[in-house]
Amino acid sequence: MAFKFLLLVGLFFVVDGVIAQESVKQSRQESPWAWACRTGRGCVKVAKDSPVEEGDNLDNPTLAGCKLTCNGESTLWPKPRSIISLSKTLISFHPTDIRISRISAPTPKVKSLTNEAIQVLRSVIRKSIPNTQRGRNQTTKETQRPQINIQISIVSGDDRLEMTTDESYNLHVETIFATAATPNSPRSTTSVSITATSFFGARHGIETLSQIMAWDDTLGTMIMLTDVNISDSPAFVHRGLLVDTSRNYVSVPVIKKIIDAMSYDKLNVFHWHLTDTHSFPFVSTREPRLSLYGAYSPAKVYRPEDIKELVHYATVRGVKIVPEFDAPAHVGSGWEWGERAGMGQLALCVNKEPWTTYCVEPPCGILNPVNDNIYSVLSNIYQDMRDLFVSDIFHMGGDEVNFACWNETTEIIDWLKTQGRTEKSKEDFLYLWTYFQNRSLAEVDKAYDNKQPIVLWTSGLTEDGHADKYLDKNRYIIQIWTTGTDESIAQLYRQGFKLIMSNYDAWYFDCGYGQWVGDGPNNWCAPYIGWQKVYENSPRKLIVNFNETFNSRQILGGEAAIWSEQVDSTTIEGKLWPRSSALAERLWTDPDTTWRVAEHRFNHHRERLVQRGIQADALQPEWCHHNDGYCFL
Ligand SMILES: *[C@@H]1O[C@H](CO)[C@@H](O)[C@H](O)[C@H]1NC(C)=O
Ligand SMILES: *[C@@H]1O[C@H](CO)[C@@H](O)[C@H](O)[C@H]1NC(C)=O
Ligand SMILES: *[C@@H]1O[C@H](CO)[C@@H](O)[C@H](O)[C@H]1NC(C)=O
Ligand SMILES: *[C@@H]1O[C@H](CO)[C@@H](O)[C@H](O)[C@H]1NC(C)=O
Ligand SMILES: *[C@@H]1O[C@H](CO)[C@@H](O)[C@H](O)[C@H]1NC(C)=O
């Protein structure tokens, strides 16, 4: 056995052009361990000199090499929807030997985005190489090292990611091997071809390319699969994360890291819950008093230039930033200046106590829909958002409206009387709410100068099967945050609304910590949701479980949400990752298989996220990553 192993390593190096022999010799002496690809398990750590189990394959005996070649889907996450072929052979290469031989793109803008995406690839490769190895000089002459030529071909000039954007791609990798590693032999050449309709598809192809490569600790070199043919496209168009930056501020560099990690997962929507009642960090050019009064500090804001930079940063990484301006509830901080400015009360019941009477969590606040000045302020906010964000949909929030405050406000009650409504009934306040919704929607439409789709949360307007009474299904997309078995989902679906799933029992990542209003062991939606449950929450199956026929045109996809009462810049990454990756495979691939089949790949992807600088939470002892298929109950 020992002999066979050495022979294989030897062959590997003849083929690969002898880049890393020095470090290999060294580590070969050091390590008594190898990885066998074991049938029915995966990569398993074995002693080099002991007999192997039947079915063990030691063709690529390093951990990185085994992981890339052992399983049907290699180390790809999310799993492509169609893998035509993946070789079991590897080539080693040096990052500087990656050349872009051709980018074919219809516009300069698309070409420049593609070049930026290539720079991201280069930086991702750099990140995967340990610091101590990065500056290492090559002992092999360049002309003898394998060369990688990348060719990218894009058809459409789309440089905005929209719901109709074609995100599919084909990735083809083919290697022509050098015949022998003699001093004057020709170098091996690996040709990579990525073809896509849009830049966004091509970018996904580049991401997949980065995942058929890895740094090999044992060999001290980058390695990659020699021959690949993948044809891929997402199951759902809307694959998102909601990040709340009002309850606690999340810094711009941390948002960039979230977008980085989203791009590794092919998630494509960063739903930015920018403002809420706790703080107003959005610097509105037209209404600067909102953040002046409402930000936690002059440093804890998002200035127009920050947002523009983030929008471009996200586009390069295949991510669309969808802004949410939540109203009429979830406002408070930032709106206090109305009376001083002679504009009357813009928000009512701000900080009012006892908060349990007027809102779901302290501090309370709700907009005053009968003050006309509200609509000019909203118009200015919407116009600022239009100027900064590049999104084909707009999120108007609309959740958790509590009628108690309106019910106690004379100005509101008097206005309702002018409408012939004197009962102070639920219907009266729903009328007021839809009046507000209609008027603010008109301002959104004016700001955008078109009628783009509007997203609203499930709320009092959508429950009891009443959505079609208050909302136009051709205008509104409903984002579900009830449990996944709530009957309102089936009702909305039957009424023909388009839906985005964020059912809190599977996709709320703030669940499962101690209380923050009180001292109980469980916050409102505890327990913590493990990645397995995140993975198994298929929007398709939720619909089928209601005995409805699944229609992918109506179920746009889903989002995981991290509400930020108990998270900020310092801890958000570990709460988002790797669980968001589980969400990502559900929404990209929507496999019929369970988490158990994905577990070894998921563990590996988590290691890759860490390698790329993401502070992803640990899932298991590292031993499990070294011994696929043995950490099951
Ligand atoms: C690599 O080569 C450069 C130039 O020949 C030299 O300056 C540098 O010190 C070398 N680095 C290492 C780590 O040997
Ligand atoms: C990749 O697979 C597809 C589908 O089988 C095939 O049409 C295509 O020719 C393959 N590409 C290459 C370059 O082998
Ligand atoms: C509003 O308050 C009145 C008492 O002033 C009460 O009778 C009514 O039920 C309240 N309306 C709602 C919707 O809670
Ligand atoms: C809101 O708009 C809808 C649709 O245009 C309309 O049917 C409804 O009467 C309006 N409601 C109010 C209170 O203005
Ligand atoms: C779906 O149909 C099955 C079989 O008829 C039934 O047992 C189940 O209760 C139905 N589910 C719902 C949510 O209606």
Side-chain angles (χ1 to χ4, degrees), residues 76-98:
L76 301 173
W77 192 280
K79 186 169 83 171
R81 289 217 290 161
S82 165
I83 295 175
I84 296 147
S85 60
L86 291 177
S87 69
K88 299 283 182 197
T89 48
L90 297 163
I91 192 159
S92 60
F93 68 96
H94 192 264
T96 54
D97 295 325
I98 297 180

Side-chain angles (χ1 to χ4, degrees), residues 460-477:
L461 288 183
T462 63
E463 65 198 21
D464 301 330
H466 281 160
D468 56 348
K469 181 170 163 193
Y470 301 112
L471 301 169
D472 176 0
K473 71 173 191 303
N474 298 314
R475 250 353 267 291
Y476 291 104
I477 296 165

Side-chain angles (χ1 to χ4, degrees), residues 84 172 174 229:
I84 296 147
H172 185 74
E174 200 176 305
N229 192 359

Side-chain angles (χ1 to χ4, degrees), residues 31-43:
S31 178
W33 302 109
W35 273 268
C37 178
R38 180 165 297 170
T39 313
R41 298 281 185 178
C43 296

